[in-house]
Amino acid sequence: MSTNGIHEMHLNLNVRGLPLSATLEINELSNTLIAQGKQVYKLGLGQSPFPVPQEVVAALQANAHQKDYLPVRGLPALQQAVVSYIERTQGLAYHPQNVLIGPGSKELMFILQLVYYGDLVIPTPSWVSYAPQAQIVGRQVRWVPTRAENKWLLTPDELEKVCAEDPAKPRIVILNYPNNPTGYSYSEDELKALAVVARKYRIIMLSDEIYGELQFDSGHRSIARYYPEGTIISSGLSKWCGAGGWRLGTFAAPQELDWLVKAMATVASETYTSVSAPIQYAAVRAFEGGETMEAYLKHSRRILKAIAEHVHAALAGLGLALPPLDGGFYAFPDFTPLAAGLSARGITTSAQLCTRMLEETGVAVLPGTCFGRPESELSLRLAYVDFDGAAALQAAALVPDDQPLGREFLQAHCNRVVTAMEKMCAWLK
Ligand code: GLU
């Protein structure tokens, strides 16, 4: 009980006991330790290491004077730019009025769960915030099992099993690819097969494609190509445009789901009103693309791919047989094969694994439990983003495109990640 007589027990039950989101908590803890003079390798928060492209920054500067409230759904020029972007990259036609701009796609996902009365169906592992959002708004979460050998992907069979239990039940499925936390994506055939199940059960498919531009082979495909009538494409500036702190997210819905966008816009109008005007004007430039944006993305992908291969090789050196990573900036190794040795050191859960690793090596990562994995599974997510992305981009531009960025490049420009992997592997051995 508090001394002023105002009781914590009056907190909404859905929120009581919920901790700060793990990604933000590990970032704050890492920064506190750094401020205390400790050496910390920040592989916890998944923040883009790359700077916001210069022309996008210039657009923000040029629009600093924009002061009016914008339409709730978004700046019309930005809605149009998002639609043109989806048309250009996926060959899909959306209407600008069905695009909703939010203060981060995270907030849009929350509002979607708030307005739609359906279960949330997500594979385990999934990103840290989907399930807590469902809990906050009082939705049921249905975790669907996956297998590490199958890249932790949601399979049509598993989805079918869940839906067949109660075919008429309304459901939102979140499909995130390239995936946070696993670093894997879906093939065209896998997307097509999932689309068949989604259509059969009239699922709302929330397709979280925020890492789409960071698929290493630049071949990202949206499931909206195969299930257009039920898919919402979610994206934003945080990952491929280096602008996490700008807080700008986008939802593009089909005309069939306009009633849903309408309900979401109502909630937006009663809560955040509209996203910061200068940020929306600047975002138009980002979604317009063009040569320099393409070069920025190409080199971002090259660098991330080189690190991913390095991380993959380091994990293979520990005896883990992982498929090669597909995109984004995460890996999700499961160290259960090393359980005997770890248990002898008093480590039997993923939380202990990550706490001890941070204490003893300075490498900050997140335990598998944050992503819906069992406590005793020794899985963790590492975000290989602790390097100076601006310097790395400049250096990568000097290496001919047909040459891979090798070990020397990584040692020179992504050294903190290389060192973090060395420390992690030495410690695990
Ligand atoms: N998406 C990032 C991550 O998973 C961080 C942003 C956030 O959680 O809000 O680490």
Side-chain angles (χ1 to χ4, degrees), residues 48-204:
S48 167
F50 302 113
V52 180
Q54 189 39 48
E55 61 266 47
V56 182
V57 173
L60 180 60
Q61 285 164 339
N63 284 286
H65 64 282
Q66 302 286 358
K67 54 166 270 299
D68 288 349
Y69 293 111
L70 293 179
V72 174
R73 290 196 186 199
L75 176 71
L78 179 55
Q79 292 175 299
Q80 179 56 57
V82 170
V83 162
S84 305
Y85 168 82
I86 295 175
E87 159 98 68
R88 197 168 71 236
T89 53
Q90 298 297 329
L92 294 167
Y94 282 78
H95 297 298
Q97 68 270 19
N98 297 334
V99 170
L100 188 58
I101 308 298
S105 53
K106 191 174 186 174
E107 182 67 18
L108 294 177
M109 289 169 186
F110 180 73
I111 294 180
L112 173 64
Q113 296 211 53
L114 182 77
V115 301
Y116 189 68
Y117 195 78
D119 281 6
L120 178 68
V121 179
I122 45 177
T124 163
S126 272
W127 177 50
V128 297
S129 290
Y130 303 141
Q133 289 190 347
Q135 182 181 335
I136 291 168
V137 296
R139 298 287 172 268
Q140 288 294 328
V141 180
R142 186 61 200 264
W143 291 96
V144 189
T146 65
R147 289 178 306 117
E149 316 79 75
N150 184 39
K151 308 208 280 187
W152 308 100
L153 298 178
L154 178 66
T155 64
D157 288 352
E158 291 291 350
L159 183 59
E160 168 75 39
K161 251 193 250 169
V162 171
C163 297
E165 283 167 15
D166 185 351
K169 201 176 211 178
R171 294 181 177 92
I172 297 173
V173 172
I174 306 185
L175 204 65
N176 169 223
Y177 53 107
N179 185 269
N180 173 7
T182 68
Y184 294 118
S185 195
Y186 292 83
S187 70
E188 185 176 1
D189 287 345
E190 286 160 344
L191 292 175
K192 281 182 180 163
L194 284 167
V196 170
V197 183
R199 178 167 293 128
K200 178 171 168 193
Y201 294 101
R202 295 167 302 280
I203 283 166
I204 293 202

Side-chain angles (χ1 to χ4, degrees), residues 72-73 100 111 114-115 259-273:
V72 174
R73 290 196 186 199
L100 188 58
I111 294 180
L114 182 77
V115 301
W259 52 272
L260 194 55
V261 177
K262 193 161 172 246
M264 290 182 66
T266 300
V267 175
S269 75
E270 300 292 10
T271 53
Y272 65 79
T273 304

Side-chain angles (χ1 to χ4, degrees), residues 21 23-24 44-46 106 127-129 180 211 239 330 381:
S21 188
T23 51
L24 305 169
L45 176 70
K106 191 174 186 174
W127 177 50
V128 297
S129 290
N180 173 7
Y211 299 95
K239 308 303 178 186
Y330 306 103
R381 183 192 82 172

